């Protein structure tokens, strides 16, 4: 299924360099499937040692049910753990807006069908402010038009071209496409002496 | 115009261009471990697929393995289950598994090179961001996610965008007590944690040329900490010498032929780069981190930065990092009390790391208030170290000598910080909560700096503690 638009309410989690250890602490990587990861998203940022809420945006009533995460620069840096985007998706978030993304994280999100949208600092802080004061209003990420619509205002955004292309063409999960070249893969392997 | 190594390896391994504009790239070597890969076998099963090239994938267990008692079943039920799932899946699909106590187990990025699986000119991937380590041999070595592990298992290929290449030349000569770890911490400090986004880093220059393979691995290992997708060093005689005679490397006349082929992958003298940075070795001092990203680093001679003197967004980052680390702005980092000393990990858990430390700690003892552990990166490293009696030197100095694994590099096995303990660590990440306690604090540094700090009980300058003097030439 192609992903041309994502609509949903936003939640702003501020901070630069939010690494995947923060998105999903390592102890939650002890699992053999990704199914149960949703509740562990940002766990140590959300709860203290006794499990009491620290008042993280994800736990604020006004953002309950938000589907689009907004953050700042270099989001998702650190480890390659797909547990991070998996936890984001299982938590119920459908897209991430940030100033920039770490590459492996970006790639993992794309394969899972989570658009990573880049927004410059000025529009991002304006959008974050608007979302904070109108948490019930839905954002619309228009991947085709490369714009974000919120409360009748249009915000500029950008996406990595190949990712945008893949969302629109429904090829963001590349596996079937990769497998369609079995003969060519075999040829390459032979040429290189790997088969 | 010549080509750089990245372009040569890329061109050789591209299968075709995809409609999205990405390329389908063949992976010469695929390494897997228990944390990020077992789920991929489940994904294959759901799609009714099998493993395309089982002989090009190798498995090990490292993250969850305890470093005290590795006998089965592991005490932690979930760890045992992860190990079992990996063991079953590799058996089912005909993938070689370096199981615990097989003599070949270890951290995935230590095992690949030491077995000679990692060879120049390869594309290598693993569901682990420190796969960049293998770039030390002149490879494109990429960390990937689990869905991509699935892609590689099913097709031995990845969908990828090409990267730009930045050459980082480190020229001159390193001072006494300045190590490969200091070189890479210095580079990340200068270029920032996301300075490398979109790039492969080619490390070059006289300092890199003079490094051993193990030192080169330390440098390449942390490429990801600078945001680069991968990092590499051109293969040369040092590379070939290291590989010669190893398990999975061609032998005899075949080895000579392989060297010819490998040599040809090195960047041409007239190769073009998208960017170049030159670093003077004189500027590199023993370097330690003070904050919660590897770029938040200063030399041991400097004071901790102050938010007041920083501009813009930096200010908040510094304030937050100092709050978390409970450090004072404008105070020297030297003398910061530590509770734990950790020598190990895929950055600095190789034989030469333990040799370098053993040479300076013999006859000294770890401070009373410090818990110090030394964790070899693989069973092979453990064997070699024991054969030289290094374990005894560490133990005599008050270190615990453990069994191989990732140990205290991250919090997936029993080795963890407690509360807000401060750890002088030879690993690669000082992220919030990285070492197992949500309030634990990590200070990254080289192995000999960890040893010096362990002895002093506080962050110390190895050059002073061990009397490492420049030759008065
Ligand atoms: S030693 Fe640390 S960085 Fe290296 S593979 Fe293990 S957990 Fe990852």
């Amino acid at each position: 299924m192609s992903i041309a638009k994502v609509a949903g309410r936003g939640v702003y989690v501020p901070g630069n360099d939010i690494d995947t250890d923060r998105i999903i602490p390592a102890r939650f990587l002890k699992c053999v499937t990704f199914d149960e990861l949703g509740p562990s998203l940002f766990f140590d940022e959300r709860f203290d040692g006794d499990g009491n809420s620290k008042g993280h945006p994800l736990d604020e009533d006004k953002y309950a049910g938000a589907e689009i995460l907004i953050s700042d620069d270099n989001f998702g840096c650190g480890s390659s753990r797909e547990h991070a985007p998996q936890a984001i998706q299982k938590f119920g978030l459908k897209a991430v807006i940030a100033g920039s993304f770490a590459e492996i994280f970006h790639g993992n999100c794309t394969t899972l069908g989570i658009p990573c949208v880049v927004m410059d600092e000025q529009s991002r802080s304006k959008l974050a402010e608007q979302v904070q004061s109108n948490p019930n209003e839905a954002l619309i990420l228009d991947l085709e038009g490369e714009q974000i619509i919120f409360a009748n205002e249009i915000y500029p955004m950008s996406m990595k071209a190949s990712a945008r292309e893949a969302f629109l063409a429904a090829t963001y999960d590349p596996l079937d496409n990769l497998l369609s070249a079995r003969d060519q893969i075999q040829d390459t392997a032979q040429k290189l002496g790997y088969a | 115009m010549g080509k750089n190594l990245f372009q040569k390896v890329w061109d050789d391994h591209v299968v075709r261009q995809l409609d999205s504009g990405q390329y389908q790239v063949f992976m010469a070597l695929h390494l897997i471990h228990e944390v990020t890969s077992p789920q991929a076998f489940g994904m294959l099963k759901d799609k009714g697929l099998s493993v395309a090239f089982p002989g090009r994938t190798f498995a090990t267990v490292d993250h969850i393995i305890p470093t005290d008692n590795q006998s089965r079943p592991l005490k932690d039920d979930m760890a045992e289950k992860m190990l079992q799932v990996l063991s079953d899946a590799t058996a089912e699909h005909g993938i070689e598994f370096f199981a615990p106590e097989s003599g070949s187990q270890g951290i995935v990025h230590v095992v690949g090179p030491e077995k000679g699986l990692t060879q120049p000119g390869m594309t290598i991937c693993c569901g682990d961001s420190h796969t960049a380590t293998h770039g030390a041999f002149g490879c494109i070595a990429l960390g990937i996610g689990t869905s991509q592990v699935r892609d590689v298992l099913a097709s031995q290929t990845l969908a990828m965008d090409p990267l730009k290449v930045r050459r980082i030349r480190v020229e001159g000569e390193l001072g006494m007590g300045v190590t490969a770890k200091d070189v890479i911490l210095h580079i990340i400090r200068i270029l920032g944690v996301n300075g490398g986004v979109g790039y492969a880093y080619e490390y070059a220059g006289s300092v890199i040329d003079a490094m051993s393979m193990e030192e080169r691995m330390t440098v390449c290992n942390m490429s990801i900490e600078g945001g680069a997708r991968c990092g590499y060093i051109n293969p040369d005689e040092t590379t070939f010498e290291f590989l010669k005679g190893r398990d999975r490397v061609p032998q005899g006349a075949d080895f000579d032929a392989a060297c010819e082929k490998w040599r040809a992958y090195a960047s041409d003298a007239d190769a073009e780069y998208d960017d170049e940075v030159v670093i003077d070795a004189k500027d590199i001092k023993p370097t330690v981190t003070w904050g919660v990203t590897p770029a938040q680093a200063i030399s041991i001679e400097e004071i901790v930065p102050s938010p007041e003197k920083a501009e813009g967004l930096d200010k908040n980052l510094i304030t937050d990092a100092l709050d978390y680390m409970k450090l004072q702005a404008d105070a020297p980092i030297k003398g910061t009390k530590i509770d734990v000393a950790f020598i190990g990990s895929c950055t600095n858990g190789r034989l030469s790391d333990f040799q370098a430390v053993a040479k300076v700690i013999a006859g000294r003892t770890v401070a009373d208030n410090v818990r110090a552990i030394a964790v070899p990166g693989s069973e092979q490293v453990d064997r070699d170290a024991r054969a030289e009696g290094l374990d005894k030197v560490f133990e005599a100095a008050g270190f615990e000598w453990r069994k191989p694994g990732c140990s205290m590099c991250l919090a997936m096995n029993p080795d963890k910080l407690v509360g807000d303990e401060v750890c002088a660590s030879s690993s690669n990440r000082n992220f919030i909560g990285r070492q197992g306690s949500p309030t634990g604090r990590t200070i990254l540094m080289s192995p000999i700096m960890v040893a010096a700090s362990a002895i002093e009980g506080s962050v110390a300058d190895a050059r002073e503690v061990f009397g490492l003097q420049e030759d008065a030439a």
Side-chain angles (χ1 to χ4, degrees):
Chain A
M1 242 198 347
S2 88
I3 302 179
K5 265 197 178 65
V6 182
R9 288 160 46 225
V11 51
Y12 179 45
V13 176
N16 289 335
D17 302 329
I18 292 185
D19 59 73
T20 55
D21 277 83
R22 275 199 254 175
I23 297 172
I24 181 105
R27 62 183 185 283
F28 297 112
L29 311 192
K30 281 204 196 154
C31 59
V32 289
T33 73
F34 294 127
D35 301 343
E36 314 292 327
L37 291 177
S40 314
L41 180 68
F42 283 116
F43 196 88
D44 292 339
E45 311 260 295
R46 292 166 55 205
F47 304 104
D48 67 16
D50 302 320
N52 300 316
S53 172
K54 294 202 233 174
H56 189 272
L58 286 183
D59 297 313
E60 280 183 55
D61 286 342
K62 65 175 187 176
Y63 293 128
E67 293 176 308
I68 297 173
L69 181 69
I70 306 167
S71 192
D72 295 313
D73 281 332
N74 200 27
F75 189 78
C77 62
S79 91
S80 64
R81 61 187 69 159
E82 190 167 303
H83 306 67
Q86 290 276 2
I88 287 173
Q89 194 169 55
K90 300 273 164 6
F91 188 86
L93 295 161
K94 292 188 186 141
V96 187
I97 299 171
S100 63
F101 293 91
E103 286 184 290
I104 301 179
F105 177 84
H106 185 287
N108 287 341
C109 283
T110 304
T111 309
L112 295 179
I114 307 170
C116 289
V117 168
V118 174
M119 230 177 151
D120 66 62
E121 196 188 330
Q122 207 186 347
S123 347
R124 201 172 70 244
S125 52
K126 183 171 160 207
L127 179 67
E129 221 168 81
Q130 290 296 314
V131 165
Q132 283 167 322
S133 36
N134 305 293
N136 290 321
E137 185 94 24
L139 287 142
I140 298 168
L141 307 192
D142 171 8
L143 307 196
E144 205 156 14
E146 289 208 72
Q147 55 181 5
I148 295 176
I149 305 158
F150 186 71
N152 298 321
E153 258 198 84
I154 291 179
Y155 295 78
M157 58 94 131
S158 65
M159 286 188 77
K160 195 169 178 177
S162 61
R164 176 172 167 270
E165 191 55 45
F167 285 121
L168 296 177
T171 54
Y172 51 88
D173 182 340
L175 184 54
D176 292 338
N177 202 358
L178 294 176
L179 287 171
S180 70
R182 279 205 171 92
D183 293 345
Q184 279 163 284
I185 296 171
Q186 198 61 39
D187 290 349
T188 308
Q190 237 133 30
K191 177 192 84 185
L192 293 167
Y194 296 141
Chain B
M1 195 45 82
K3 289 204 251 178
N4 59 46
L5 178 136
F6 182 88
Q7 293 162 334
K8 294 186 194 184
V9 177
W10 175 270
D11 289 351
D12 263 8
H13 290 76
V14 163
V15 175
R16 60 171 177 153
Q17 186 165 22
L18 300 167
D19 292 338
S20 66
Q22 289 193 302
Y23 290 82
Q24 180 169 7
V25 185
F26 190 87
M27 291 293 121
L29 177 65
H30 182 210
L31 300 166
I32 60 178
H33 64 60
E34 77 284 7
V35 179
T36 55
S37 310
Q39 306 86 345
F41 289 100
M43 296 174 178
L44 279 193
K45 194 164 270 165
D46 289 347
K47 293 197 139 231
L49 293 166
S50 58
V51 178
F53 291 81
R56 304 223 67 81
T57 295
F58 297 85
T60 185
V61 52
D62 47 15
H63 288 62
I64 52 132
I65 195 94
T67 60
D68 48 359
N69 180 355
Q70 299 186 339
S71 57
R72 305 282 302 273
L74 302 178
K75 258 199 229 100
D76 176 337
D77 291 342
M78 200 44 174
E80 173 62 27
K81 186 163 175 200
M82 292 167 81
L83 173 48
Q84 198 52 52
V85 169
L86 182 66
S87 166
D88 292 347
T90 48
E92 179 187 338
H93 294 279
I95 292 168
E96 189 171 359
F97 177 36
F98 303 125
E101 306 190 330
S102 64
S104 299
Q105 176 266 337
I107 305 173
V108 64
H109 313 307
V110 176
V111 169
E114 83 187 358
K115 290 212 119 13
L117 289 167
T118 303
Q119 297 173 11
M122 282 182 161
T123 44
I124 300 181
C125 62
C126 173
D128 194 289
S129 56
H130 293 99
T131 308
T133 313
H134 305 261
F137 292 81
C139 304
I140 300 179
L142 308 157
I144 57 176
T146 302
S147 296
Q148 290 180 302
V149 171
R150 172 207 63 179
D151 294 348
V152 178
L153 289 172
S155 74
Q156 203 62 29
T157 62
L158 279 180
M160 268 191 81
D161 293 297
L163 297 167
K164 293 182 284 187
V165 182
R166 170 181 293 144
R167 177 158 67 165
I168 301 174
R169 277 169 42 210
V170 189
E171 301 286 1
E173 223 179 297
L174 295 178
M176 284 293 280
V178 181
T179 69
K181 181 63 157 287
D182 303 303
V183 171
I184 188 64
L185 283 172
H186 183 83
I187 290 173
I188 296 165
R189 174 188 181 180
I190 290 179
L191 299 177
V193 279
N194 54 7
V197 171
Y199 282 97
Y201 279 173
E202 175 177 312
Y203 303 99
S206 57
V207 167
I208 305 291
D209 290 343
M211 281 183 181
S212 71
M213 286 315 293
E214 299 201 347
E215 292 171 314
R216 292 178 185 183
M217 283 188 254
T218 299
V219 172
C220 289
N221 175 273
M222 290 187 69
S223 302
I224 189 76
E225 260 59 69
R229 190 66 213 281
C230 64
Y232 69 85
I233 292 168
N234 285 308
D236 62 8
E237 296 311 314
T238 306
T239 320
F240 309 145
E241 198 46 49
F242 178 95
L243 287 170
K244 195 171 187 174
R246 285 186 191 263
D247 228 17
R248 310 299 166 99
V249 169
Q251 314 285 338
D254 290 346
F255 179 75
D256 297 335
C259 288
E260 275 319 298
K261 193 180 87 187
W262 293 337
R263 197 171 280 123
Y265 279 110
S267 296
D268 295 326
D270 58 348
E272 263 194 286
Y273 297 91
D274 300 285
D275 190 30
E276 180 164 82
V277 173
V278 181
I279 290 171
D280 187 341
K282 275 204 305 293
D283 297 336
I284 310 177
K285 301 272 164 17
T287 301
V288 299
T289 58
W290 54 267
V292 294
T293 76
Q296 290 176 327
I298 49 177
S299 92
I300 186 69
E301 298 165 3
E302 288 173 64
I303 54 171
V304 173
S306 125
E308 266 75 67
K309 292 169 202 155
E311 310 256 301
L313 264 177
D314 261 345
K315 206 182 271 254
N316 295 336
L317 276 184
I318 296 176
T319 309
D320 291 352
L322 291 182
D323 278 353
Y324 181 81
M325 293 299 291
K326 300 182 182 155
L327 288 177
Q328 289 299 322
D330 289 332
I333 188 79
K334 197 165 91 177
T336 305
K337 196 178 141 303
I338 67 160
D339 306 290
V340 178
F342 168 56
I343 300 180
S345 86
C346 58
T347 317
N348 283 119
R350 297 186 175 78
L351 185 64
S352 59
D353 296 308
F354 298 106
Q355 286 170 328
V357 172
K359 218 161 98 187
V360 289
I361 57 164
R364 299 173 200 257
T365 33
V366 168
D368 285 342
N369 58 322
V370 174
R371 186 161 96 245
I373 60 172
V375 187
S378 70
E379 293 184 353
Q380 181 70 53
V381 171
D382 185 38
R383 264 197 307 282
D384 294 346
R386 284 173 189 279
E388 293 181 19
L390 302 185
D391 56 325
K392 294 283 170 295
V393 178
F394 275 85
E395 281 169 359
F399 273 84
E400 263 186 76
W401 184 267
R402 296 293 191 86
K403 290 190 158 65
C406 294
S407 183
M408 211 181 262
C409 178
L410 98 171
M412 289 196 66
N413 58 71
D415 303 342
K416 288 182 175 55
L417 296 184
V418 181
D420 66 355
E421 280 182 330
V422 177
C423 180
S425 181
S426 75
S427 56
N428 46 43
R429 286 195 172 135
N430 52 339
F431 295 156
I432 290 172
R434 170 74 177 182
Q435 293 188 291
S437 162
T439 50
R441 294 171 285 168
T442 304
I443 301 183
L444 301 176
M445 58 185 84
S446 75
I448 56 166
M449 289 286 284
V450 173
S453 305
I455 288 163
E456 292 295 307
S458 58
V459 175
D461 187 338
R463 298 171 303 184
E464 292 167 8
V465 175
F466 302 125
L468 304 172
Q469 305 290 341
E470 304 294 340
D471 288 339

